[in-house]
């Protein structure tokens, strides 16, 4: 059996945290007297915290000092973490543990490749941390997706060549990062949005062991 590296994005792939990011960003925007919509939130998928705040302030036509910017980043994250601290296993997206356990049984490399600086905390809350051999998150990279840095670091951590790695991603930027890294990209979400991916599935319930075997043995 060949060993491939399977790299999972976190937000939108393992757990649906987009709703918590949305609530925290919306409250922040409202406190600055403008609104923030679900459509705008969609555009922040896979986007780092600092880039997200820059975009939100631009949408609201606000310019702030560097000190205020830092204060807003902290405010948003403090509120976001209140939601995170109430998370448990029930928030893991369908069939994620099944796929992880199958890949572990098949001796495949498993890593996390996320833009989030809260990744470890979230994996701990949903009790999935022990399933990952390596974690590469927002604390470990200097360039955000679509730059491939996060996935290339994950491949290095697994000691598996990039071309033998497979990435599960729900964001366009993440799919592009995986493609640039020369990895197989698997989009989780809608084909209309993630058409640049090598494969797209609505969620993990659509991913069969036959499909995983095909990827492992290719
Ligand atoms: C990504 C999310 O995974 O992580 C983005 O899709 C988020 O919405 C980014 O902004 C950074 O997350 P955090 O937890 O470091 O603020
Ligand atoms: Mg994501």
């Amino acid at each position: 059996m060949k060993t491939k590296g399977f790299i999972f994005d976190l937000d939108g792939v393992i757990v649906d945290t987009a709703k918590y990011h949305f609530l925290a960003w919306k409250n922040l925007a409202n406190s600055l007297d403008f609104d923030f919509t679900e459509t705008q939130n969609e555009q922040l998928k896979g986007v780092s915290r600092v880039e997200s705040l820059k975009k939100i302030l631009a949408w609201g036509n606000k310019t702030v000092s560097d000190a205020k910017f830092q204060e807003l980043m902290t405010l948003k994250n403090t509120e976001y973490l209140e939601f995170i601290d109430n998370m448990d296993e029930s928030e893991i997206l369908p069939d994620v543990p099944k796929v992880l356990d199958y890949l572990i049984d098949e001796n495949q490399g498993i890593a996390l490749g996320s833009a989030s600086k809260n990744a470890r905390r979230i994996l701990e809350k949903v009790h999935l941390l022990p399933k990952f051999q390596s974690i590469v998150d927002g604390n470990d990279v200097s360039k955000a997706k679509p730059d491939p840095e996060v996935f290339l670091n994950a491949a290095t951590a697994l000691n598996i060549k990039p071309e033998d790695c497979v990435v599960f991603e729900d964001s366009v930027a993440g799919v592009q990062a995986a493609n640039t890294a020369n990895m197989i990209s698997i989009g989780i979400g809608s084909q209309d949005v993630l058409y640049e991916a090598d494969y797209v599935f609505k969620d993990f319930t659509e991913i069969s062991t036959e499909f995983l075997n095909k990827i492992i043995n290719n």
Side-chain angles (χ1 to χ4, degrees):
M1 193 68 73
K2 288 192 187 167
T3 301
K4 290 267 159 73
F6 287 83
I7 306 172
F8 291 73
D9 173 48
L10 175 69
D11 297 311
V13 168
I14 293 176
V15 283
D16 175 22
T17 39
K19 59 188 178 206
Y20 301 136
H21 281 296
F22 174 68
L23 289 170
W25 283 131
K26 188 177 165 65
N27 286 341
L28 184 115
N30 292 167
S31 75
L32 296 169
D33 294 324
F34 61 92
D35 206 11
F36 173 66
T37 66
E38 300 238 20
T39 317
Q40 288 169 326
N41 195 51
E42 277 300 304
Q43 295 177 51
L44 300 182
K45 276 189 180 170
V47 177
S48 68
R49 196 183 311 163
V50 53
E51 290 305 321
S52 297
L53 181 55
K54 282 184 195 164
K55 280 178 191 267
I56 290 167
L57 292 173
W59 287 328
N61 278 318
K62 295 272 174 206
T63 34
V64 297
S65 66
D66 288 354
K68 181 74 182 172
F69 189 94
Q70 288 311 321
E71 189 190 306
L72 293 174
M73 293 261 286
T74 306
L75 248 165
K76 186 269 176 176
N77 199 50
T78 305
E79 189 180 2
Y80 178 66
L81 287 179
E82 284 171 18
F83 294 118
I84 297 311
D85 285 342
N86 285 317
M87 286 180 83
D88 61 25
E89 292 99 319
S90 66
E91 299 208 36
I92 300 172
L93 289 168
D95 278 2
V96 168
K98 189 175 133 192
V99 170
L100 281 169
D101 288 339
Y102 183 78
L103 296 171
I104 291 166
D105 284 348
E106 296 295 310
N107 291 314
Q108 302 303 301
I110 315 273
L112 192 87
S114 167
S116 173
K117 294 189 170 180
N118 298 306
R120 278 176 190 274
R121 185 153 169 170
I122 294 170
L123 287 179
E124 268 170 20
K125 289 302 295 182
V126 301
H127 298 123
L128 285 180
L129 191 58
K131 309 242 184 233
F132 291 84
Q133 247 171 278
S134 308
I135 308 275
V136 182
D137 66 17
N139 300 297
D140 306 310
V141 293
S142 56
K143 287 169 267 170
K145 300 170 188 176
D147 189 282
E149 184 183 12
V150 63
F151 297 141
L152 291 172
N153 285 0
T156 304
L158 290 173
N159 199 19
I160 296 175
K161 287 186 291 195
E163 55 268 37
D164 288 327
C165 288
V166 182
V167 171
F168 295 103
E169 252 297 342
D170 71 313
S171 74
V172 174
V175 165
Q176 290 169 341
N179 291 343
T180 306
N182 209 10
M183 299 177 177
I184 293 174
S185 53
I186 303 184
I188 301 294
S190 117
Q191 173 70 37
D192 295 350
V193 179
L194 302 173
Y195 56 86
E196 290 172 76
D198 295 313
Y199 305 90
V200 179
F201 297 98
K202 184 173 60 66
D203 58 32
F204 282 88
T205 66
E206 288 189 345
I207 300 184
S208 65
T209 50
E210 289 73 24
F211 173 77
L212 294 173
N213 288 338
K214 188 178 93 180
I215 297 280
I216 291 168
N217 294 307
N218 253 348

